[in-house]
Amino acid sequence: MSEPEERVYEALTRRRQATQVDLLGDVALSRAQLTRTLARLVDRGLATRLPGRPTRYAATPPDQVATFLIAERERDLLRLRTHADQLAKEIRLRDGGGRHPAELVEVIEGAANLRATLVRLQREARVQIRGLDRAPYLDNPVSGNSEETHQLADRGLVYRVIYDQSALAIPGRMAEIWRGIQSGERARVASNVPMKMMLCDDRLALIPAMTGGQLADAAYLVHPSSLLDAVGELFEALWERAVAINRSIVVDQPAGPDPAGEGRADRLSDRDIELIGLLAGGATDERIARTLGWSVRTVHRHVHRIMAMVGAETRFQAGMEAVRRGWV
């Protein structure tokens, strides 16, 4: 609706029925403007002219209006999509089926445009989203990716994310990663993730620009090309070497003796699980202490307790045993 139509419709809705004279006191319009606006509402089926004198008007119920307007907008969007697809097809045919090399990498500028592009890639993905995650961040790193939560729940889209181990040391970040994993994200951690990236299927990749080691309000949007192929291969190579983080440590363990200690995951608290994830990522005691808000001495105590739990003699053995048991 236009702004005048919106004002008149809402005033009419609140009165149920009204004459033009009634409405003139509710809306800041001249009589001529009100007459034209009421005529448009009637023509669109958003209001009805009732029989009798003086002429009275009644608003169509808001729930019916909402359904009508949404359907109208969906038809407009469908026409837009059809026209855009046809236009793109014509351009591809004219250019021999491919993009000009200068168009294979777009520069997206501005924080708002970057956020919109991140959402767009996730909504356009048909199979999976692959991501590389490391500092610095455009937004609060513990605020999470709400679009990922929706896509995992509503479409079952596959998310595979590799986190740089430094990301795990940011206070609150590990808890946010766990929430993503619980929603269905497949996460791994590596010691040296070279850059940030989001890859939409094998069709688009978004790589933030860096200037002087700082994140700029700009990114490169890479279209199908040899560069996009290389980015995809880089992700898969890193994925193979990264350590999986698995939230399958649950407390529902079978009762009875367990001499091998294989089923003692019920003795792990959430902090234990977070600690194991940090250990698997190669974090130092000092970094673990900062992340979990512990003293280094407390970190030593908990690490030695987990080592004793799995019968390991070194931190490395404890981490490997946790991986073997599916704890991490």
Side-chain angles (χ1 to χ4, degrees):
M1 293 186 185
S2 66
E3 195 273 336
E5 289 174 341
E6 182 179 325
R7 270 192 285 159
V8 173
Y9 174 80
E10 291 199 3
L12 191 58
T13 298
R14 292 189 173 91
R15 284 184 173 271
R16 300 177 64 86
Q17 295 182 12
T19 66
Q20 285 196 29
V21 174
D22 296 330
L23 293 172
L24 279 172
D26 297 335
V27 297
L29 296 173
S30 68
R31 182 180 289 272
Q33 289 174 319
L34 178 58
T35 299
R36 289 194 298 270
T37 302
L38 282 168
R40 286 197 298 270
L41 290 176
V42 171
D43 289 342
R44 296 183 66 188
L46 306 180
T48 303
R49 183 183 291 108
L50 302 175
R53 293 292 178 182
T55 302
R56 303 181 67 83
Y57 297 87
T60 303
D63 54 345
Q64 295 179 26
V65 168
T67 300
F68 166 76
L69 292 177
I70 290 170
E72 193 176 64
R73 179 58 58 86
E74 287 176 341
R75 288 193 295 272
D76 290 341
L77 293 173
L78 180 59
R79 285 194 292 269
L80 172 61
R81 169 55 66 189
T82 302
H83 180 69
D85 288 346
Q86 181 61 35
L87 184 60
K89 182 178 180 181
E90 291 176 9
I91 292 172
R92 284 195 297 270
L93 290 174
R94 184 197 68 192
D95 295 342
R99 284 174 169 264
H100 188 278
E103 300 174 330
L104 296 177
V105 178
E106 289 183 60
V107 178
I108 310 296
E109 295 185 274
N113 290 331
L114 286 176
R115 294 186 185 94
T117 303
L118 286 169
V119 171
R120 170 194 157 196
L121 262 59
Q122 294 173 84
R123 292 180 179 177
E124 290 187 1
R126 299 165 187 164
V127 179
Q128 68 172 333
I129 289 290
R130 290 175 285 176
L132 299 178
D133 183 285
R134 58 165 297 159
Y137 295 95
L138 184 65
D139 294 313
N140 185 349
V142 299
S143 61
N145 180 357
S146 58
E147 187 62 33
E148 175 181 347
T149 303
H150 295 319
Q151 295 298 332
L152 286 168
D154 298 342
R155 292 206 292 145
L157 194 65
V158 174
Y159 276 79
R160 291 195 289 152
V161 183
I162 304 172
Y163 295 92
D164 189 88
Q165 67 177 40
S166 63
L168 279 58
I170 298 173
R173 183 67 169 142
M174 194 68 198
E176 177 56 40
I177 293 172
W178 284 134
R179 282 191 286 272
I181 294 170
Q182 288 174 319
S183 298
E185 177 187 297
R186 296 166 59 189
R188 295 192 176 186
V189 61
S191 60
N192 188 22
V193 174
M195 63 183 181
K196 298 168 69 69
M197 180 199 71
M198 178 178 284
L199 183 59
C200 167
D201 297 326
D202 292 315
R203 297 183 295 122
L204 291 167
L206 189 68
I207 304 172
M210 300 286 291
T211 57
Q214 298 298 315
L215 191 63
D217 285 349
Y220 308 112
L221 184 63
V222 184
H223 293 266
S225 58
S226 58
L227 177 58
L228 184 67
D229 294 340
V231 169
E233 291 296 328
L234 170 65
F235 177 90
E236 295 301 335
L238 292 171
W239 182 262
E240 288 300 317
R241 296 201 300 269
V243 177
I245 308 174
N246 189 341
R247 192 61 158 128
S248 62
I249 315 172
V250 293
V251 297
D252 299 324
Q253 299 294 337
D258 183 20
E262 296 272 338
R264 297 314 306 235
D266 57 329
R267 292 164 55 184
L268 293 177
S269 67
D270 285 345
R271 278 304 179 89
D272 288 334
I273 296 169
E274 197 167 357
L275 171 60
I276 291 174
L278 290 166
L279 286 173
T284 64
D285 288 343
E286 291 74 15
R287 177 172 292 171
I288 293 172
R290 288 195 301 270
T291 302
L292 300 182
W294 292 345
S295 67
V296 173
R297 179 171 297 185
T298 300
V299 172
H300 290 165
R301 187 170 69 251
H302 283 284
V303 169
H304 286 298
R305 177 172 56 81
I306 291 173
M307 288 170 56
M309 185 186 300
V310 299
E313 296 181 0
T314 67
R315 289 160 54 105
F316 177 76
Q317 289 175 346
M320 294 304 294
E321 182 62 17
V323 171
R324 187 186 71 81
R325 296 186 185 193
W327 294 2
V328 176

